[in-house]
């Protein structure tokens, strides 16, 4: 039985080059959980663990009906609620929504069933905050960042310059796709896709 692999189905969304490029991001379904605080803090870590638990619970239900899929990469959208340049805002004030893309055939009733089963088994309180959401970013600029997260501002500056030169404007939240597992990859080799919806 073949498994749906969304990184292959939507290859253009999960590959990027070191130079910024315009792409079109179609609507998709994601499991999501929203939070606020330092990405190195406990709430972010707990939210990540909870989201993966939810994703594998959904996968297990669909696997039983021969609709198995590979759990996709962790993604996240980021924003701040204060005025000013986002990177000048303290990390404790960063807002984020962690995401894992789901196949289009995943429906909310099954997600709710999976979340209830996972809660009985794992007793993770944040499971009650996971939901199935739709995200449609449309025209976007994306670029590949290689290296630690702390060095992203240099790559973001390249993307910002591309957006300015192309006469584009921001049209949504900053989006990151984590291609590497930080537990298994040295910081220098970490690969992250940075995406910015534009108009």
């Amino acid at each position: 039985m073949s498994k749906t692999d969304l990184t292959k189905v939507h290859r253009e969304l999960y590959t990027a080059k070191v130079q910024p490029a315009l792409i079109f991001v179609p609507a998709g379904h994601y499991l999501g959980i929203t939070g606020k605080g330092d990405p190195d803090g406990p709430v972010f870590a707990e939210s990540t663990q909870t989201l993966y638990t939810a994703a594998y619970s959904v996968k297990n239900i669909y696997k039983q009906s021969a609709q198995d899929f590979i759990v996709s990469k962790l993604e996240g959208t980021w924003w701040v609620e204060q005025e000013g340049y986002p990177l000048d805002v303290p990390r404790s004030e960063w807002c984020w929504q962690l995401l894992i893309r789901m196949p289009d055939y995943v429906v909310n009733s099954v997600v709710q069933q999976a979340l209830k089963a996972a809660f009985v088994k794992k007793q993770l309180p944040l499971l009650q905050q996971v939901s199935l959401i739709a995200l449609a970013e449309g025209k976007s600029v994306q670029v590949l960042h290689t290296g630690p997260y702390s060095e992203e501002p240099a790559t973001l500056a390249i993307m910002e310059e591309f957006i300015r030169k192309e006469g584009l404007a921001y049209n949504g939240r900053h989006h990151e796709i984590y291609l590497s597992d930080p537990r298994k990859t040295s910081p220098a080799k970490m690969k992250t896709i940075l995406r910015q919806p534009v108009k």
Side-chain angles (χ1 to χ4, degrees), residues 132-154:
L132 183 67
I133 66 164
L135 186 64
E137 292 173 305
K139 185 160 72 170
S140 301
V141 174
Q142 70 180 29
V143 64
L144 180 67
H145 170 73
T146 301
Y149 303 134
S150 61
E151 294 179 4
E152 280 185 16

Side-chain angles (χ1 to χ4, degrees), residues 21-196:
L22 266 174
I23 66 162
F24 182 83
V25 183
H29 288 100
Y30 297 79
L31 289 183
I33 185 169
T34 302
K36 182 177 182 178
D38 192 326
D40 289 327
V43 175
F44 189 90
E46 290 166 16
S47 297
T48 301
Q49 177 194 4
T50 298
L51 194 61
Y52 271 111
T53 297
Y56 278 100
S57 298
V58 174
K59 167 190 164 70
N60 288 338
I61 291 178
Y62 278 96
K63 183 178 180 180
Q64 293 168 18
S65 59
Q67 289 181 296
D68 199 7
F69 60 89
I70 295 171
V71 171
S72 293
K73 305 291 186 183
L74 180 68
E75 308 183 35
T77 60
W78 297 79
W79 69 98
V80 294
E81 296 170 335
Q82 302 178 18
E83 293 294 326
Y85 189 58
L87 291 178
D88 292 337
V89 174
R91 290 162 64 94
S92 61
E93 296 299 311
W94 288 4
C95 300
W96 34 264
Q97 184 175 51
L98 297 177
L99 305 162
I100 294 178
R101 187 162 185 149
M102 294 280 108
D104 290 343
Y105 54 73
V106 170
V107 296
N108 188 56
S109 58
V110 176
V111 169
Q112 294 306 316
Q113 176 188 345
L115 291 174
K116 288 176 183 175
F119 185 76
V120 169
K121 190 173 182 181
K122 300 283 189 176
Q123 295 293 307
L124 295 173
L126 288 179
L127 280 167
Q128 297 172 2
Q129 298 181 29
V130 175
S131 60
L132 183 67
I133 66 164
L135 186 64
E137 292 173 305
K139 185 160 72 170
S140 301
V141 174
Q142 70 180 29
V143 64
L144 180 67
H145 170 73
T146 301
Y149 303 134
S150 61
E151 294 179 4
E152 280 185 16
T155 306
L156 284 170
I158 294 171
M159 188 163 71
E160 287 168 3
E161 178 67 8
F162 177 87
I163 290 170
R164 186 186 66 78
K165 282 187 173 181
E166 293 292 319
L168 301 166
Y170 286 40
N171 190 35
R173 297 172 179 170
H174 171 68
H175 189 154
E176 299 187 352
I177 301 168
Y178 307 104
L179 302 180
S180 306
D181 185 339
R183 298 168 300 178
K184 303 175 183 177
T185 311
S186 68
K189 294 182 178 179
M190 297 268 288
K191 294 186 182 298
T192 308
I193 293 175
L194 308 182
R195 179 186 296 161
Q196 178 60 54

